[in-house]
């Protein structure tokens, strides 16, 4: 065990010292490349905002173009990092594909990685933000409604036909590009493939959303609860509670570890390995070996042809999955020290980026809605430039280290696995998971409010006054006059909130206990006032009886384009007296300032 720890520390030092040398010699070039990628991304977002309400479906080829630019820039950065790492570690160079061939071979893995790790979600969110910023608040909703690939049966059929046409055209264009040896035709075929894939992904997102809506429907949930309860009674166990515990473990513990800690470093290491010239096991080779072993070609020509056709259609997807499995086998075969260093280092880089973003947010401070779009590029420095730049250098170093240890990098089962190795890798995963949990705190600055004393929260004057607590309440709540007191098993907390501002503004009022947020008792959870007016009303919360000493009243400015916000908070005093009955009136009162 001690030997494994020593080897891991040695591997860690070797990889990071090489990463440091590459960063010193090629760091500026790599950061410049990712800066160009970030600029192209924000230009694409801006163009999306400009064109979305006018030519909605033009957003699809825009995203495709942006994705190709990102791919080319990322590959150039990876190749630069690999070349320097080869020099630093003294590893012989392999024959590399030309850039267009590399783009074509990495296209599907790149899009799948972008889709899986949130690129398209981020693009859609920022695209809607830009649309609403340029064309008005309702334009974003209209844009999403128009860009509905499943809006009707006709639209669905048309979209499916377009996807098929794009993929078939791309295949012919790809063959023509090979015959003519034309980089331009190859790039155009890549554009067609990306456009068709993104259009298909939009349809998949709609299907997933429809499925989520269906399983969350009251009818389905009622049927599901009844079915689970019936099965539990049949086998005499508390099946609903067991499912809740298992689901919480899988969703909150196991899945994040697998997805964030293991999948990302291995997937991106596979991309880097392909850029570096690693020869992966391909589908055609496996199919040829299986056919020969099972004598399919001699015994059943029809079956052979059918399976061969299916393999050809799914070639890109199967190739991507096979490359990931191939690299996983190579990484496992490399041993615990390498894999532990890879997992922990990748997580450290990710978390360093999160803390850098926190520092940027604290430095820029609260941002008004009108300035959010302008300052968005500043918030992407860590996410789109520094983190991917450092990851590119480290992953290139890790790949060259793999090649330095094993020139063949063949697909073989790892050997020498024992309980010490298993414990060591589980310990490394645990450390990486622990590091990923050390997230930066909320960057929103807090303004501590005092009872009866006006304070400024992002240009909005806020005053909290007349604090009351009781086990029953009477008065007027949510436009209803209470004829007799309403009682509670907990405690009613009522507080008068007054808002005034130089321009129209809205604040949201909530009660917070640690990470738990209590909404208002009635629907009046926000206060809005017009320019030159003061608005006030009682805000009521119903909370458990043991919670009043831990409650904090949170006042958050509401604005369309969210970013770093200044937030007001008022902590309830521990000496709060709970009366038997309190009077409330949540009627919004507006007065001239």
């Amino acid at each position: 065990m001690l030997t494994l720890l020593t080897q891991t520390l040695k591997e860690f030092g070797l990889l990071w010292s090489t990463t440091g040398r590459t960063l010193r010699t090629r760091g500026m070039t790599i950061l410049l490349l990712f800066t160009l990628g970030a600029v192209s991304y924000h230009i694409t977002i801006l163009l999306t905002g400009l064109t979305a309400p006018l030519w909605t479906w033009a957003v699809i080829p825009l995203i495709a173009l942006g994705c190709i630019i990102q791919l080319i820039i990322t590959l150039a950065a990876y190749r630069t990092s690999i070349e320097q790492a080869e020099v630093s570690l003294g590893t012989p160079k392999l024959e590399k594909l030309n850039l267009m061939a590399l783009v074509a071979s990495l296209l599907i893995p790149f899009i799948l990685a972008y889709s899986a790790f949130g690129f398209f979600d981020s693009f859609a969110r920022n695209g809607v933000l830009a649309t609403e910023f340029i064309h008005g608040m309702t334009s974003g909703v209209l844009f999403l409604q128009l860009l509905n690939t499943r809006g009707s049966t006709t639209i669905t059929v048309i979209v499916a036909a377009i996807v098929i046409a794009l993929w078939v055209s791309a295949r012919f264009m790809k063959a023509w590009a090979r015959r003519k040896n034309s980089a331009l035709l190859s790039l155009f075929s890549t554009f067609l493939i990306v456009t068709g894939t993104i259009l298909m992904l939009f349809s998949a997102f709609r299907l997933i959303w429809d499925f989520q809506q269906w399983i969350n429907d009251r009818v389905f949930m009622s049927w599901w609860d009844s079915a689970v309860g019936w099965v539990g009674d049949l086998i005499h166990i508390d099946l609903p509670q067991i499912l809740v515990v298992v689901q919480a473990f899988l969703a909150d513990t196991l899945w994040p570890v697998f997805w964030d800690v293991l999948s990302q470093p291995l997937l991106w290491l596979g991309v880097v390995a392909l850029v570096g010239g690693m020869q992966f096991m391909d589908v055609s080779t496996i199919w040829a070996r299986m056919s020969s072993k099972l004598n399919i070609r001699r015994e059943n020509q029809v079956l052979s042809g059918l399976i061969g056709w299916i393999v050809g259609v799914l070639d890109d997807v199967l190739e991507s999955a096979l490359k990931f499995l191939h690299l996983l086998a190579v990484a496992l075969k490399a041993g615990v020290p390498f894999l532990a260093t890879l997992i922990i280092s990748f997580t450290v880089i990710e978390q360093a980026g999160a803390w850098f973003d926190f520092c940027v947010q604290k430095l820029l401070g609260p941002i008004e809605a009108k300035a959010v779009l302008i300052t968005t590029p500043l918030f992407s420095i860590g996410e789109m430039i520094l983190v991917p730049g450092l990851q590119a250098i480290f992953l290139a170093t890790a790949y060259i280290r793999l090649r330095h240890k094993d020139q063949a990098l063949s697909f073989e089962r790892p050997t020498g696995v024992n309980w010490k190795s298993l414990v060591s890798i589980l310990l490394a995963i645990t450390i990486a998971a622990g590091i990923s949990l050390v997230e930066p705190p909320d960057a929103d600055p807090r303004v501590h409010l005092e009872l009866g004393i006006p304070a400024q929260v992002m240009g909005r004057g806020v005053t909290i006054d007349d604090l009351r607590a009781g086990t029953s309440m009477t008065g007027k709540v949510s436009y209803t006059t209470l004829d007799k007191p309403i009682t509670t098993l907990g405690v009613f907390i009522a507080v008068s909130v007054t808002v005034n501002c130089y321009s129209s503004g809205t604040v949201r009022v909530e009660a917070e206990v640690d990470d738990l947020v209590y909404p208002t008792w009635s629907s009046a959870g926000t206060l809005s006032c017009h320019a030159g007016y003061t608005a006030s009303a009682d805000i009521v919360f119903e909370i458990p009886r043991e919670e009043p000493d831990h409650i904090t009243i949170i006042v958050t400015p509401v604005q369309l384009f969210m970013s770093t916000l200044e937030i007001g908070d008022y902590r309830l005093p521990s000496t709060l007296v709970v009366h038997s009955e309190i009077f409330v009136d949540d009627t919004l009162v507006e007065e001239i300032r």
Side-chain angles (χ1 to χ4, degrees):
M1 196 72 176
L2 184 61
T3 304
L4 278 175
L5 178 60
T6 304
Q7 292 173 346
T8 301
L9 292 175
K10 185 177 179 181
E11 190 77 25
F12 191 90
L14 176 62
L15 286 177
W16 276 103
S17 61
T18 308
T19 298
R21 290 196 297 271
T22 305
L23 184 63
R24 187 173 62 251
T25 54
R26 300 287 184 94
M28 291 303 297
T29 302
I30 292 167
L31 291 179
L32 178 60
L33 285 170
F34 281 108
T35 301
L36 291 174
V39 170
S40 68
Y41 172 82
H42 289 294
I43 290 176
T44 306
I45 291 294
L46 184 60
L47 291 175
T48 299
L50 289 170
T51 61
L54 306 175
W55 304 289
T56 304
W57 291 94
V59 169
I60 300 295
L62 265 178
I63 298 176
L65 183 61
C67 189
I68 291 174
I69 293 173
Q70 290 291 320
L71 174 57
I72 293 174
I73 289 173
T74 302
L75 295 185
Y78 284 170
R79 179 168 283 185
T80 302
S81 301
I82 289 169
E83 290 173 353
Q84 183 59 41
E86 287 174 336
V87 174
S88 299
L89 289 175
T91 303
K93 297 182 179 181
L94 297 180
E95 182 181 355
K96 297 180 177 64
L97 297 172
N98 65 64
L99 188 59
M100 287 301 103
L102 199 57
V103 169
S105 63
L106 273 172
L107 193 57
I108 300 301
F110 199 82
I111 293 176
L112 292 177
Y114 261 15
S115 175
F117 298 120
F119 174 83
F120 295 118
D121 289 342
S122 173
F123 190 98
R125 183 173 59 253
N126 290 331
V128 171
L129 174 69
T131 302
E132 293 180 339
F133 190 90
I134 296 171
H135 297 281
M137 193 170 101
T138 59
S139 59
V141 177
L142 180 61
F143 160 51
L144 292 177
Q145 289 176 346
L146 293 174
L147 194 63
N148 185 359
T149 55
R150 300 186 66 251
S152 66
T153 304
T154 303
I155 293 178
T156 303
V157 171
I158 292 174
V159 168
I162 292 174
V163 170
I164 294 172
L166 287 171
W167 276 78
V168 171
S169 301
R171 289 285 180 177
F172 281 109
M173 190 67 67
K174 193 174 182 180
W176 190 18
R178 287 175 179 173
R179 191 177 302 113
K180 296 290 185 179
N181 195 23
S182 170
L184 185 61
L185 290 176
S186 178
L187 186 61
F188 186 65
S189 70
T190 300
F191 174 74
L192 293 177
I193 293 175
V194 176
T195 303
T197 304
I198 292 175
L199 191 57
M200 189 168 57
L201 284 174
F202 267 96
S203 302
F205 292 153
R206 290 284 183 178
L207 285 171
I208 293 172
W209 187 83
D210 289 344
F211 176 74
Q212 290 173 340
Q213 292 292 108
W214 178 68
I215 63 174
N216 290 322
D217 183 78
R218 184 185 299 272
V219 175
F220 176 81
M221 292 301 296
S222 176
W223 174 85
W224 174 257
D225 291 340
S226 299
V228 171
W230 178 79
V231 174
D233 293 338
L234 189 65
I235 58 181
H236 304 292
I237 63 172
D238 189 358
L239 187 58
Q241 183 60 31
I242 293 175
L243 288 179
V244 168
V245 173
V246 171
Q247 181 183 4
F249 173 74
L250 293 176
D252 301 334
T253 303
L254 193 60
W255 179 252
V257 170
F258 168 77
W259 193 247
D260 297 328
V261 176
L262 289 176
S263 298
Q264 288 204 55
L266 288 173
L267 189 148
W268 290 114
L269 181 61
V271 174
V272 171
L274 190 58
V275 175
M278 176 177 170
Q279 299 301 307
F280 287 93
M281 181 76 73
D282 57 20
V283 176
S284 58
T285 301
I286 291 181
W287 169 234
R289 291 179 181 178
M290 289 177 59
S291 301
S292 176
K293 186 175 182 179
L294 298 175
N295 294 321
I296 292 178
R297 293 187 182 280
R298 289 196 300 268
E299 296 178 4
N300 194 331
Q301 293 290 337
V302 176
L303 178 62
S304 174
L306 178 62
I307 297 178
W309 179 80
I310 295 173
V311 169
V313 171
L314 300 177
D315 182 66
D316 290 329
V317 177
L318 293 175
E319 286 280 0
S320 302
L322 188 59
K323 288 170 183 175
F324 181 80
L325 293 174
H326 187 159
L327 187 79
L328 179 61
V330 170
L332 290 174
K333 191 176 65 174
V336 171
F338 174 83
L339 195 57
T341 301
L342 174 69
I343 293 170
I344 294 174
S345 298
F346 194 91
T347 306
V348 167
I349 295 173
E350 287 282 329
Q351 287 303 100
W355 280 93
F356 178 84
D357 292 340
F358 167 77
C359 294
V360 172
Q361 292 171 5
K362 293 293 287 186
L363 180 64
L364 294 179
I367 298 174
E368 293 287 350
K370 60 185 179 182
V372 169
L373 188 64
I374 301 172
T375 56
T376 297
L378 296 176
F379 289 103
S380 64
I381 292 175
E383 181 184 4
M384 300 193 69
I385 299 175
L386 298 181
V387 169
L390 187 56
Q391 284 176 346
I393 296 172
F394 175 78
L395 291 173
T397 303
Y399 162 65
I400 297 303
R401 174 62 177 158
L402 270 182
R403 258 186 41 208
H404 189 79
K405 296 172 67 175
D406 182 4
Q407 289 293 331
L409 295 181
S410 57
F411 188 91
E412 299 173 3
R413 293 182 179 180
T415 57
V417 178
N418 51 45
W419 71 268
K420 291 183 180 180
S421 300
L422 183 61
V423 169
S424 299
I425 197 61
L426 289 176
L427 180 61
I429 293 173
T430 303
I431 293 172
I435 293 172
S436 66
L437 293 176
V438 185
E439 296 181 350
D442 188 2
D444 296 330
R446 295 292 182 106
V447 176
H448 297 294
L449 306 174
E450 296 183 31
L451 209 62
I453 299 177
Q456 289 290 318
V457 180
M458 254 184 115
R460 298 158 176 85
V462 177
T463 306
I464 288 182
D465 204 356
D466 196 13
L467 177 64
R468 289 145 285 160
T471 55
S472 65
M473 70 174 176
T474 186
K476 189 174 182 180
V477 182
S478 191
Y479 306 104
T480 302
T481 301
L482 305 175
D483 296 329
K484 56 183 180 179
I486 294 179
T487 60
T488 176
L489 296 176
V491 178
F492 287 121
I493 302 291
V495 64
S496 176
V497 179
T498 302
V499 179
N500 62 76
C501 41
Y502 292 103
S503 59
S504 297
T506 302
V507 298
R508 183 175 62 253
V509 186
E510 298 167 314
E512 182 181 82
V513 180
D514 297 326
D515 293 329
L516 183 63
V517 175
Y518 290 95
T520 56
W521 187 82
S522 66
S523 59
T526 59
L527 280 178
S528 301
C529 68
H530 298 91
Y533 283 78
T534 296
S536 61
D538 279 348
I539 304 294
V540 184
F541 303 96
E542 184 178 10
I543 60 176
R545 188 176 291 273
E546 65 275 7
E547 295 291 8
D549 292 347
H550 311 286
I551 287 285
T552 301
I553 305 296
I554 303 296
V555 181
T556 306
V558 176
Q559 58 183 39
L560 178 62
F561 308 120
M562 302 296 286
S563 181
T564 308
L565 297 174
E566 192 172 57
I567 297 175
D569 61 32
Y570 170 69
R571 179 68 179 266
L572 267 61
S574 58
T575 57
L576 182 65
V577 178
V578 179
H579 300 280
S580 59
E581 184 179 319
I582 60 173
F583 179 83
V584 301
D585 186 355
D586 69 353
T587 305
L588 181 66
V589 177
E590 284 192 307
E591 299 175 335
I592 298 176
R593 297 178 58 186

